[in-house]
Amino acid sequence: MSVTQRRSTLALAVLSLLREAEYRGMPAMHPYKMQRLIKDRGKGEVVNVGQRASLYRTIERLQRSGLVEARESSREHNRPERTLYALTDEGRAIWREWMLDALANPTREFPEFPAAVAFIPLLTPDEVRKQLEKREDKLSAELSRIQTVLEEGAEWGRLFVLEMEYLRATTAAELEWVRSVADDLRSAEITWDEESLLP
């Protein structure tokens, strides 16, 4: 299996944080600190670190792949052992490869929503319209929340909120599409019934 096949959002984030630590003269970092940095910087919007266990599993996988290594372990009083991790030379090279690839090459993702859209004729037009109206409300609320986050982050400069700009753009595009389909369902521009689906 190639290293590219093992790439995940969380793995890319872990390698990036360890690379940043090197830039800052801290050659190793504890997983808890990685999780805190992602959350404190608002990067939890694009990197799921809600479950610390998944972070530890990702680090273990990166370690087995030779991309990170344990530098030191310590234990304070009754607390669990704390291990600091650092990039290996291969990890540094793979981090760069993954970053450049992720920026340049769109990936085919298979989110749940388009899969559900593919099978809407199995529901009634009215059911679909009602659900899309609910989605429209939720997307509108999410767009407002993203805008608030962007405004709060403006003091840091655009460089530090680019991922939020991306989320705003994709959420706005989805909202526009959902509205257009809901409108067409309301006007019966898009409609179907059981008979029309029979061969």
Side-chain angles (χ1 to χ4, degrees):
M1 182 186 328
S2 76
V3 175
T4 303
Q5 291 174 307
R6 294 188 300 249
R7 183 174 75 202
S8 70
T9 305
L10 188 51
L12 181 60
V14 167
L15 295 180
S16 295
L17 286 169
L18 292 175
R19 186 67 179 120
E20 180 187 344
E22 290 180 342
Y23 282 137
R24 297 178 181 270
M26 305 178 303
M29 190 182 296
H30 183 269
Y32 177 77
K33 183 167 185 169
M34 293 179 207
Q35 183 185 36
R36 287 288 356 130
L37 284 173
I38 290 169
K39 286 183 175 181
D40 291 348
R41 293 175 177 176
K43 305 306 180 193
E45 296 283 341
V46 293
V47 178
N48 184 359
V49 289
Q51 299 295 320
R52 194 171 308 146
S54 62
L55 177 61
Y56 281 96
R57 281 192 303 272
T58 298
I59 291 170
E60 287 170 9
R61 185 171 53 82
L62 292 170
Q63 189 174 18
R64 281 193 311 273
S65 299
L67 304 181
V68 302
E69 63 186 1
R71 281 284 170 88
E72 63 181 77
S73 293
S74 62
R75 182 185 303 268
E76 295 177 11
H77 308 295
N78 298 350
R79 306 208 35 105
E81 186 173 63
R82 294 177 58 122
T83 303
L84 298 176
Y85 293 91
L87 286 174
T88 62
D89 289 340
E90 183 181 3
R92 215 169 285 107
I94 292 300
W95 163 80
R96 183 173 179 74
E97 177 186 317
W98 283 1
M99 282 290 291
L100 296 174
D101 183 63
L103 289 169
N105 298 308
T107 57
R108 283 196 63 194
E109 298 171 1
F110 298 93
E112 188 177 62
F113 178 61
V117 169
F119 295 101
I120 62 171
L122 299 173
L123 300 170
T124 67
D126 193 51
E127 286 176 308
V128 173
R129 179 190 50 76
K130 286 177 183 173
Q131 297 312 306
L132 289 180
E133 287 170 347
K134 289 178 186 177
R135 189 176 190 92
E136 186 178 343
D137 291 343
K138 291 174 182 171
L139 287 168
S140 291
E142 177 63 2
L143 201 52
S144 295
R145 187 192 69 77
I146 290 170
Q147 187 59 41
T148 300
V149 171
L150 276 166
E151 289 166 5
E152 290 170 354
E155 67 186 75
W156 295 100
R158 186 173 182 209
L159 176 63
F160 297 99
V161 292
L162 288 173
E163 74 278 6
M164 295 307 294
E165 285 184 12
Y166 173 79
L167 290 177
R168 178 180 60 190
T170 57
T171 303
E174 182 180 342
L175 176 58
E176 182 181 340
W177 183 85
V178 167
R179 277 186 180 145
S180 75
V181 174
D183 287 345
D184 285 351
L185 286 164
R186 277 189 287 274
S187 70
E189 181 75 23
I190 297 175
T191 193
W192 63 91
D193 57 31
E194 223 173 284
E195 273 185 35
S196 67
L197 299 177
L198 293 174

